Amino acid sequence: MTKIATQLVQGTNGTEDDRSGSVVVPLNFSTAFRHPGLGQSTGFDYSRMTTPTRLELEKQLAAIEHGTHAFATSSGMAAIDLVFSTLTATGDHFIASDDLYGGSFRYFDERQERYHVNYDKWNGKNVDDLILLIKPETKLIWLETPSNPTMKIIDIEAVARTVHATRPDILIAVDNTFLTPIYQNPLDDDADIVVHSATKYLGGHNDILAGAVIVKDDDLADKLSFQLTTTGQNLDPFDSWLLIRSLKTLHVRMKYHTENAQYLAHALPEITGVDRVLYAASAA
Ligand SMILES: Cc1ncc(COP(=O)(O)O)c(C=O)c1O
């Protein structure tokens, strides 16, 4: 398997545009694509379906998260919405770890109140307690590890293996925004879905609002693709191009983020008034 640093730097190079031999992925703004003949398609028809630039980004996202299909969305929240609007309906149930990005809870509470997609919270510690929360109508388990803001660590593999052993129909989704594929590949730990707010480390320059959903199952990918092409919460060509460019330095940036965080984790307790430092030491 290609090393992630090589994949990040080289993975998108030379993948498109036969005419010029362009090394970097070209930025293609077209919303409509000419068909070569009646009933024929180049694979691109209308930009709500797919665009040449976004497609290259999605291939790269799938590669670095060890998935087979990726969907680039207009924000991290759009990625979360893509998962829930595709996979849950009124009367369904899901379980979420109890410490999450606040916007995820805001979204979950709204779905519960308006659409009766009910959920329970699990403290992320004992998998047996999680199993007790499962109902016949449970569709999904939503994990964020390390969690925002208290840096709780969840054993993804233990959750996925235990749940799948009794209920293979329940999907395990992991928000991998914080560790990124540099440190964690949830699909390798038997999770079914990876979600990112690419606005954070994947983008890394404070100039892109973006999200991603990555999976490794064809049927699941078909369902997500149908929903995404129906609603169009996908990432536009320019931001897709910027994200392709940003990913080329992810491994370098994460190294320095980690060094800075480790320095602060050691330095902060020395400061008067700091009672506790939350740092996911075991993850880095
Ligand atoms: C862990 C996590 N997931 C999802 C989101 C939502 O992403 P976005 O702000 O790109 O919509 C955030 C945003 O802060 C986040 O921290």
Side-chain angles (χ1 to χ4, degrees):
M1 187 180 285
T2 311
K3 275 195 170 170
I4 189 155
T6 308
Q7 180 65 35
L8 288 164
V9 176
Q10 300 289 346
T12 48
N13 285 354
T15 50
E16 220 246 331
D17 195 354
D18 293 329
R19 274 190 308 163
S20 71
S22 160
V23 173
V24 297
V25 173
L27 173 50
N28 185 327
F29 281 115
S30 195
T31 54
F33 299 86
R34 199 168 46 231
H35 288 170
L38 199 61
Q40 295 175 350
S41 168
T42 58
F44 301 102
D45 304 306
Y46 182 62
S47 63
R48 182 155 32 78
M49 314 303 164
T50 183
T51 68
T53 313
R54 199 176 85 233
L55 184 63
E56 294 308 327
L57 167 65
E58 290 173 336
K59 284 193 220 159
Q60 178 71 322
L61 289 167
I64 62 176
E65 275 294 10
H66 302 171
T68 51
H69 303 77
F71 304 92
T73 57
S74 55
S75 70
M77 288 314 299
I80 293 172
D81 180 64
L82 176 61
V83 171
F84 279 86
S85 56
T86 304
L87 298 172
T88 61
T90 299
D92 285 343
H93 170 258
F94 70 97
I95 299 163
S97 45
D98 68 352
D99 186 47
L100 293 176
Y101 167 59
S104 303
F105 277 134
R106 193 166 56 235
Y107 176 82
F108 295 162
D109 289 341
E110 211 231 353
R111 282 194 81 77
Q112 182 157 262
E113 277 158 34
R114 287 181 62 175
Y115 305 113
H116 305 290
V117 178
N118 297 318
Y119 77 105
D120 285 301
K121 292 179 188 170
W122 169 57
N123 68 9
K125 287 184 185 142
N126 188 338
V127 182
D128 293 338
D129 294 343
L130 170 69
I131 300 296
L132 292 176
L133 294 172
I134 291 177
K135 301 179 182 196
E137 61 272 26
T138 305
K139 291 285 187 300
L140 196 79
I141 292 174
W142 185 269
L143 308 176
E144 188 179 295
T145 175
S147 64
N148 176 0
T150 64
M151 298 289 132
K152 278 188 186 174
I153 304 284
I154 296 170
D155 184 341
I156 299 170
E157 194 175 11
V159 170
R161 292 264 154 90
T162 312
V163 171
H164 284 153
T166 46
R167 285 284 303 274
D169 58 308
I170 295 180
L171 299 174
I172 313 295
V174 180
D175 185 332
N176 203 26
T177 298
F178 276 180
L179 280 193
T180 82
I182 298 294
Y183 292 126
Q184 179 168 269
N185 284 114
L187 298 181
D188 291 348
D189 293 332
D190 224 18
D192 303 285
I193 302 171
V194 172
V195 168
H196 279 276
S197 167
T199 318
K200 309 294 163 357
Y201 294 124
L202 298 191
H205 294 68
N206 297 318
D207 54 10
I208 314 165
L209 182 73
V213 179
I214 303 110
V215 297
K216 57 184 177 183
D217 176 82
D218 290 349
D219 289 341
L220 183 53
D222 284 349
K223 288 181 193 157
L224 291 162
S225 174
F226 178 82
Q227 181 70 14
L228 188 63
T229 55
T230 302
T231 59
Q233 68 217 79
N234 44 45
L235 196 61
D236 68 278
F238 186 52
D239 284 344
S240 296
W241 189 87
L242 279 177
L243 191 49
I244 288 172
R245 185 186 165 111
S246 296
L247 285 173
K248 291 186 177 189
T249 55
L250 179 67
H251 55 306
V252 184
R253 288 185 282 107
M254 290 310 285
K255 181 174 180 290
Y256 283 97
H257 285 312
T258 305
E259 283 175 18
N260 288 343
Q262 284 175 344
Y263 171 78
L264 285 173
H266 286 109
L268 282 173
E270 307 300 323
I271 297 173
T272 315
V274 174
D275 291 335
R276 199 157 66 107
V277 175
L278 301 173
Y279 180 59
S282 60

